[in-house]
């Protein structure tokens, strides 16, 4: 009681946040019971029939849902790898630009796409990547046949990953640049006296110094392995590429909101949240262990 | 010195050129859209426009501005961005302060931080959330755009990491002078947290301006759509039904130049605030994210 009196101001400060958390985070968690029901909107949760694990059985029996899980994993893992590798290389190359003004300008330009939404970029890309669009015109100058980037199952994933890396690599570079700025300059001086050229310095000083950051970013990304990017896919895909491009989140939207299979949609959502939670907890533990990173 | 060797100089020039090309590729699509939006309809439809307008014309912008649904959606987006950002800032600022205290100074901290982290790692998923919004009577309400996103654990963590970097003596001095915690927070912490607040404001503004899915999900009526949702239905879904159909408006949607103008208007506010806040967010981000 005494501590409550002493700290009441702290509790008051947390009230607005807690009210919203309860309303929009904790109460929806209660709705998870729908995953075990044959939910009918007019009967509500209290009146809908309980069906046990039927929704989950259905999830693993349906061919399209297994395909969707598989698509999600492939797209997310490839995004994870390239969103780690490209910024890593880019940061090292950018570090070699010795004119500060040039370096700053490059940085300003590459961060920008991160702040534009997939609606805007989707609108742009739908035109740029169409068969008679700007990109195919340029490729045509080199004698390449028009490619249907967003309507061809063989190209869709490639396009999704490439455009995502294009949008995010600049932004993802920030943490690496911060780590680069933290490297002790005397290491380079010592290496220079020992006669190491720039490549050797990069190989034996810069790269190893960045490894802890790679570990942190990489392990934290692990928790996102079932997030293949709803906004992007939703704004770029079409029925032609459902086979290779449909992911869990877009599938939930179509089955539950559009087709009204609410119980089934909740079950997929729960499946995703539960696996994600385990992955996130594991990845935070790993990040803490390997790189001393804590979130709180 | 390594940078005086011939090999390194050659590398340096090639490297810089490559990176400049890469950076230019990040904005070329926008330049292309801008060029299309200022071109004549015939040139744009024939795909003749590259990076410079063909037969300069502001017709597309005139037509866009003439559309009352479009203008109204901008107004909704402006309201939501201003209100949403203000609310997020206030909540983040208030919540981060107690959470930045030591466990010894604030006993309840552990429980609170677990609650916050838990919502970060686990959620009910799209459908239960949708049902809760329905049950709260928030469907078709403006508040559904502002309230659910107002608590963002990630932003709170950025802020509290900044608070932890503030020298303890400042706070102690204020408390000794008789200020309570609210006073300390608003008179001492507020002025020195401006870089962090700018970072969070930028993130929050971008989030609200860009959000489109909530509008699509919770608004049944297209004249309640914020701009991003309006653009999503018109540009991506090419959905005529979200506009009251009359031949004039049908023509409006089908035009490449008008689409380009709408895209550009949608991106414009971000292009405008970005240069001013850019220097802050890099600092704010790295302060908050990479601390031990």
């Amino acid at each position: 009681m005494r501590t409550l009196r002493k700290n009441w101001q702290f509790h008051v400060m947390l009230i607005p946040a807690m009210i919203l958390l309860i309303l929009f985070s904790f109460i929806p968690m209660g709705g998870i019971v729908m995953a075990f029901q044959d939910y009918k909107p007019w009967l509500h949760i209290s009146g809908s029939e309980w069906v046990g694990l039927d929704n989950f059985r259905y999830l693993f029996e349906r061919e399209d849902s297994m395909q969707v899980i598989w698509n999600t994993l492939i797209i997310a893992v490839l995004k994870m790898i390239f969103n780690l590798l490209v910024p890593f290389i880019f940061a090292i190359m950018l570090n070699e630009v010795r004119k500060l003004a040039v370096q700053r300008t490059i940085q300003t330009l590459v961060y920008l796409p991160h702040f534009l939404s997939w609606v805007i970029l989707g609108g742009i890309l739908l035109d740029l990547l169409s068969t008679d669009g700007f990109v195919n015109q340029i490729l045509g100058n080199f004698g390449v046949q028009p490619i249907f980037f967003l309507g061809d199952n063989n190209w869709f994933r490639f396009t999704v990953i490439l455009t995502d890396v294009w949008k995010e690599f600049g932004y993802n570079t920030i943490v690496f640049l911060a780590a680069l700025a933290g490297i002790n300059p005397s290491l380079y001086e010592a290496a220079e006296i020992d006669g190491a050229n720039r490549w050797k310095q990069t190989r034996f000083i810069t790269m190893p110094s960045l490894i802890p950051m790679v570990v942190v970013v990489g392990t934290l990304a692990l928790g996102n392995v079932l997030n293949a990017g709803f906004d992007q896919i939703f704004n770029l895909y079409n029925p032609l590429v459902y086979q290779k491009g449909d992911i869990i989140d877009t599938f939930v939207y179509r089955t539950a909101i559009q087709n009204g299979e609410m119980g089934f949609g909740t079950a997929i959502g729960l499946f995703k949240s539960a696996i994600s939670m385990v992955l996130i907890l594991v990845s935070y533990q790993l990040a803490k262990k390997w790189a001393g990173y804590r979130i709180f | 010195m390594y940078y005086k060797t011939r090999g390194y100089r050659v590398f340096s020039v090639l490297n810089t050129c490559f990176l400049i090309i890469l950076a230019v590729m990040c904005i070329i699509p926008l330049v292309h859209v801008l060029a299309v939006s200022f071109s004549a309809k015939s040139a744009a439809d024939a795909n003749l426009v590259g990076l410079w307008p063909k037969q300069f014309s502001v017709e597309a912008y005139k037509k866009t501005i003439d559309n009352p649904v479009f203008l109204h959606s901008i107004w909704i987006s402006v309201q939501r961005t201003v209100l949403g950002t203000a609310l997020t800032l206030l909540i983040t600022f208030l919540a981060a302060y107690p959470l930045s205290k030591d466990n010894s100074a604030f006993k309840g901290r552990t429980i609170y931080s677990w609650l916050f982290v838990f919502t970060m790692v686990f959620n009910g998923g799209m459908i239960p959330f949708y049902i809760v919004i329905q049950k709260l009577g928030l469907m078709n309400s403006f508040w559904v755009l502002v309230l659910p996103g107002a608590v963002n654990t990630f932003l709170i963590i950025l802020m509290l990491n900044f608070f932890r970097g503030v020298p303890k003596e400042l706070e102690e001095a204020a408390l000794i002078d008789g200020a309570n915690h609210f006073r300390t927070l608003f008179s001492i912490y507020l002025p020195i947290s401006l870089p962090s607040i700018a970072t969070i404001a930028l993130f929050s503004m971008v989030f609200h301006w860009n959000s489109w899915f909530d509008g699509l999900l919770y608004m049944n009526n297209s004249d309640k759509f914020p701009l991003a949702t309006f653009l999503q239905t018109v540009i991506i879904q090419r959905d005529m039904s979200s506009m009251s159909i009359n031949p004039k408006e049908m023509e409006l949607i089908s035009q490449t130049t008008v689409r380009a103008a709408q895209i550009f208007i949608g991106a414009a506010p971000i292009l405008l605030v970005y240069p001013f806040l850019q220097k802050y967010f890099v600092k704010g981000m790295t302060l908050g994210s990479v601390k031990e």
Side-chain angles (χ1 to χ4, degrees):
Chain A
M1 242 13 236
R2 242 186 58 223
T3 59
L4 194 67
R5 213 164 35 234
K6 207 179 86 201
N7 288 333
W8 67 269
Q9 289 173 348
F10 290 152
H11 295 281
V12 172
M13 286 174 181
L14 284 161
I15 285 174
M18 288 319 291
I19 290 175
L20 292 176
L21 269 195
I22 290 168
L23 278 182
F24 298 114
S25 295
F26 290 109
I27 294 180
M29 285 179 200
I32 281 170
V33 295
M34 287 165 62
F36 307 97
Q37 289 184 331
D38 180 18
Y39 181 81
K40 298 277 190 291
W42 56 92
L43 296 174
H44 307 296
I45 289 179
S46 51
S48 292
E49 190 193 340
W50 293 91
V51 293
L53 293 174
D54 274 10
N55 284 325
F56 292 92
R57 205 168 298 136
Y58 191 42
L59 167 68
F60 291 105
E61 278 165 5
R62 265 172 82 152
E63 234 170 72
D64 54 353
S65 53
M66 289 317 285
Q67 177 71 42
V68 160
I69 293 171
W70 192 229
N71 288 344
T72 309
L73 278 174
I74 293 179
I75 293 174
V77 168
L78 287 174
K79 276 186 180 176
M80 240 175 89
I81 295 171
F82 286 104
N83 278 328
L84 196 59
L85 203 63
V86 175
F88 176 76
I89 296 170
F90 178 72
I92 291 175
M93 288 173 77
L94 191 62
N95 199 37
E96 295 304 314
V97 175
R98 300 178 55 80
K99 285 214 178 60
L100 267 185
V102 178
Q103 204 186 46
R104 292 261 164 76
T105 312
I106 293 175
Q107 282 183 42
T108 306
L109 295 182
V110 296
Y111 297 157
L112 182 63
H114 169 82
F115 292 95
L116 296 172
S117 75
W118 276 116
V119 171
I120 300 289
L121 294 178
I124 298 176
L125 290 173
L126 288 180
D127 277 335
L128 279 183
L129 297 176
S130 67
T131 38
D132 53 359
F134 195 51
V135 172
N136 271 315
Q137 280 179 23
I138 293 172
L139 289 177
N141 292 340
F142 296 97
V144 180
Q145 289 296 313
I147 298 167
F148 197 4
F149 288 102
L150 294 168
D152 182 333
N153 271 308
N154 295 320
W155 280 99
F156 187 73
R157 280 180 193 160
F158 169 83
T159 314
V160 162
I161 289 155
L162 188 76
T163 53
D164 187 60
V165 171
W166 168 77
K167 183 179 191 281
E168 303 295 344
F169 83 92
Y171 186 75
N172 291 333
T173 301
I174 294 176
V175 286
F176 290 116
L177 289 175
L180 279 173
I183 299 175
N184 187 346
S186 60
L187 288 174
Y188 291 110
E189 281 161 27
E192 246 190 285
I193 290 166
D194 290 345
N197 62 22
R198 192 57 178 170
W199 168 244
K200 286 237 166 83
Q201 293 176 22
T202 305
R203 173 76 190 74
F204 294 108
I205 300 171
T206 312
M207 287 188 185
S209 311
L210 286 184
I211 293 300
M213 193 48 77
V214 173
V215 173
V216 170
V217 178
T219 45
L220 295 184
L222 186 68
N224 261 326
V225 89
L226 291 183
N227 280 331
F230 175 81
D231 280 22
Q232 182 193 17
I233 306 269
F234 193 83
N235 285 311
L236 291 180
Y237 83 162
N238 55 67
L240 289 176
V241 289
Y242 281 170
Q243 192 200 341
K244 291 281 178 78
D246 204 6
I247 56 168
I248 295 177
D249 294 323
T250 51
F251 187 66
V252 169
Y253 176 76
R254 281 190 297 114
T255 49
I257 305 280
Q258 289 184 331
N259 300 343
E261 301 173 65
M262 294 286 211
F264 180 61
T266 312
I268 315 173
L270 175 59
F271 171 77
K272 186 193 158 205
S273 301
I275 294 184
S276 293
M277 181 174 77
V278 173
L279 287 172
I280 291 172
L281 293 178
V282 169
S283 66
Y284 280 175
Q285 282 302 317
L286 291 179
K288 193 170 153 187
K289 195 171 145 198
W290 288 342
Y293 174 93
R294 306 181 281 132
I295 40 166
F296 251 93
Chain B
M1 297 310 233
Y2 67 83
Y3 51 83
K4 286 192 179 148
T5 65
R6 188 139 163 237
Y8 185 79
R9 276 197 193 147
V10 173
F11 161 78
S12 185
V13 171
L14 291 179
N15 183 45
T16 308
C17 290
F18 175 75
L19 294 181
I20 289 174
I21 293 173
L22 210 61
V24 168
M25 273 171 62
C26 286
I27 53 157
I28 271 195
L30 268 178
V31 177
H32 174 71
V33 168
L34 190 62
V36 171
S37 72
F38 279 115
S39 296
K41 182 180 181 316
S42 53
D45 286 345
N47 272 312
L48 293 174
V49 184
L51 300 174
W52 199 254
K54 286 253 158 70
Q55 298 157 277
F56 185 87
S57 145
V58 290
E59 197 57 26
Y61 286 91
K62 274 196 193 134
K63 282 189 179 162
T64 308
I65 304 289
D66 266 350
N67 184 352
V69 187
F70 183 82
L71 286 185
H72 188 62
S73 72
I74 291 187
W75 173 233
I76 294 176
S77 273
V78 169
Q79 281 178 296
R80 120 172 241 185
T81 305
V82 171
L83 245 144
T85 305
L87 191 66
T88 306
L89 280 179
L90 181 69
I91 287 177
T92 308
F93 193 64
L94 280 174
Y97 178 74
L99 291 175
S100 71
K101 299 290 165 229
D102 288 334
N103 280 328
S104 53
F106 178 33
K107 282 266 159 37
R109 198 193 84 97
T110 323
I111 304 164
Y112 282 114
S113 36
W114 269 108
L115 290 175
F116 279 98
V117 171
F118 190 64
T119 60
M120 222 176 158
V121 297
F122 188 75
N123 61 66
M126 188 193 295
I127 312 306
F129 190 80
Y130 180 81
I131 306 250
V132 168
I133 296 288
Q134 270 184 334
K135 293 273 143 83
L136 290 172
L138 285 173
M139 293 298 273
N140 286 318
S141 138
F142 171 77
W143 294 103
V144 76
L145 305 174
V146 174
L147 292 177
V151 181
N152 182 326
T153 310
F154 173 71
L155 297 183
I156 294 178
I157 291 174
L158 278 186
M159 195 81 224
L160 80 86
N161 272 326
F162 177 83
F163 282 162
R164 284 198 182 144
V166 175
K168 277 220 166 61
E169 291 75 12
L170 265 180
E171 189 201 335
E172 279 162 15
L175 291 175
I176 289 171
D177 284 349
N180 62 22
H181 281 297
F182 280 100
R183 185 78 200 275
T184 313
L185 180 60
F186 285 100
S187 319
I188 310 285
Y189 277 69
L190 187 62
I192 54 171
S193 333
L194 289 179
S196 274
I197 291 177
T199 309
I200 289 169
L202 174 71
F203 282 132
S204 179
M205 278 158 66
V206 169
F207 167 80
H208 279 293
W209 188 261
N210 282 343
S211 286
W212 54 278
F213 189 59
D214 43 11
L216 190 66
L217 208 50
Y218 307 124
M219 301 296 171
N220 295 326
N221 198 336
S222 64
D223 44 74
K224 288 189 172 157
F225 281 174
L227 180 64
T229 313
F230 176 84
L231 293 179
Q232 209 276 336
T233 51
V234 172
I235 295 173
I236 310 277
Q237 297 180 17
R238 316 242 160 136
D239 179 6
M240 316 283 175
S241 68
S242 75
M243 313 183 77
S244 46
I245 297 239
N246 69 47
K248 196 178 140 231
E249 284 178 355
M250 288 269 285
E251 188 204 16
L252 247 162
I253 311 171
S254 60
Q255 278 182 24
T256 329
T257 52
V258 176
R259 273 208 307 272
Q262 290 174 331
I263 290 175
F264 194 75
I265 294 175
I270 290 181
L271 301 179
L272 284 176
V273 296
Y274 174 74
F276 298 103
L277 291 173
Q278 200 240 132
K279 61 174 182 206
Y280 286 124
F281 83 76
V282 174
K283 225 187 283 164
M285 272 274 301
T286 45
L287 257 181
S289 62
V290 250
K291 274 194 94 185
E292 180 259 357

